[in-house]
Structures are given as structure tokens and as C-alpha cells.
Amino acid sequence: MEEYQITEAIPTVSEFLELRKSCGLSPRGVVASEVGLKNSWYSICVRRSRDQQLIGMGRIVGDGGIAYQLVDIAVHPAQQQKGIGKQIMAQLLMYLERQVDPKAYVSLIADLPADQLYQQFGFVPTAPQSVGMYFKQGLSIDSQPD
């Protein structure tokens, strides 16, 4: 990791949105990103040493007590397969081990094939006991079945 620097930091909104786009992650709004990034429980940035370009990041969000989620774990496609994702995960988990109650629930939603990385760090699928779900905006409550 000599050519990279990992720091406890929050990226700028423009860096965050650009990295998400380059990684093929779903778009986020500017205002929502400003609010969300400020409310990170913990955040790390990976920057290229020579020009300080953001090439990776990871965040932890949560309630500060019993529930935490790892989010926005991303490495620029041109920098993948160099162990950067593993470094991000290791740093996030070291923070959790130091700061979070061992009985807290720590989760993440894994895009495929990133689930293989997360499994190396002890994350396991919740199915069939439970299933990850998300709220699909745009559906009205009136359109839901009874």
C-alpha cells in the first residue's frame, strides 16, 4: 500500500459521487449525500499518494449502540485486485472491534461478486433464516396488496 494512503476521513460529495459512478454503484443525490456523509459513524478514504485522488472508501453508519451497517465500500475499477478492498474491510472491522459492543448487529448488503470478499472477513448470508430487503421508493401505500 506504499502508493496509497488510508485515512480516517469523509470524502467530499463530488468525490463520493464520482467514485460511486466509476464503480457502477447506484447514483445518489447531492443534498442527500451531503447529509449522509456528515452523519457517517466512521469513514475511511484511500487516496493515491502522488495526486491524492480518491480511489477507494468505506463507511460505517448506525445508531451508535446496537445496529451498524457497512456501506459505500468501493474501489475504483482501475485499482481493483490490488488488496485495497481487503485493507478497507480490515480497517472498518478493527474500528468496530475497538468501539462497538460485541452484541451489536453489524450488517452489509453485498453486491455480487463482492460477497466473496466479505465472507473472508466473517460475514455470512442471512438466508434462509432472514432475507435482506430494501424500500423501493415510488410505490404508493394505496397500491400495496391487502
Side-chain angles (χ1 to χ4, degrees):
M1 292 293 290
E2 291 179 25
E3 59 188 281
Y4 305 105
Q5 299 170 330
I6 299 177
T7 59
E8 294 180 7
I10 297 172
T12 67
V13 172
S14 60
E15 289 176 320
F16 171 75
L17 295 173
E18 181 58 36
L19 183 60
R20 287 186 64 84
K21 182 178 179 181
S22 68
C23 292
L25 300 176
S26 56
R28 298 288 186 249
V30 172
V31 173
S33 296
E34 288 173 358
V35 172
L37 289 170
K38 287 179 192 173
N39 286 308
S40 299
W41 182 258
Y42 181 71
S43 178
I44 60 170
C45 291
V46 182
R47 295 184 183 281
R48 207 166 37 204
S49 296
R50 66 180 155 89
D51 60 8
Q52 293 300 298
Q53 179 183 356
L54 183 71
I55 57 95
M57 71 165 297
R59 296 190 312 130
I60 301 171
V61 297
D63 63 13
I66 58 173
Y68 299 85
Q69 186 172 28
L70 279 67
V71 297
D72 301 322
I73 299 168
V75 176
H76 190 282
Q79 304 298 328
Q80 292 178 2
Q81 303 300 314
K82 297 180 180 182
I84 298 168
K86 287 181 181 180
Q87 291 288 329
I88 291 170
M89 286 298 296
Q91 184 113 358
L92 294 174
L93 293 177
M94 282 191 310
Y95 178 83
L96 287 170
E97 287 175 6
R98 289 190 317 262
Q99 301 294 327
V100 173
D101 184 296
K103 293 182 181 177
Y105 186 73
V106 178
S107 64
L108 58 77
I109 300 293
D111 291 337
L112 301 177
D115 61 316
Q116 296 170 14
L117 169 65
Y118 306 137
Q119 287 180 26
Q120 294 175 33
F121 288 90
F123 285 85
V124 297
T126 59
Q129 294 84 4
S130 59
V131 177
M133 300 177 79
Y134 75 101
F135 177 68
K136 187 168 182 168
Q137 293 188 358
L139 292 178
S140 84
I141 219 159
D142 295 332
S143 67
Q144 301 302 313
D146 291 329

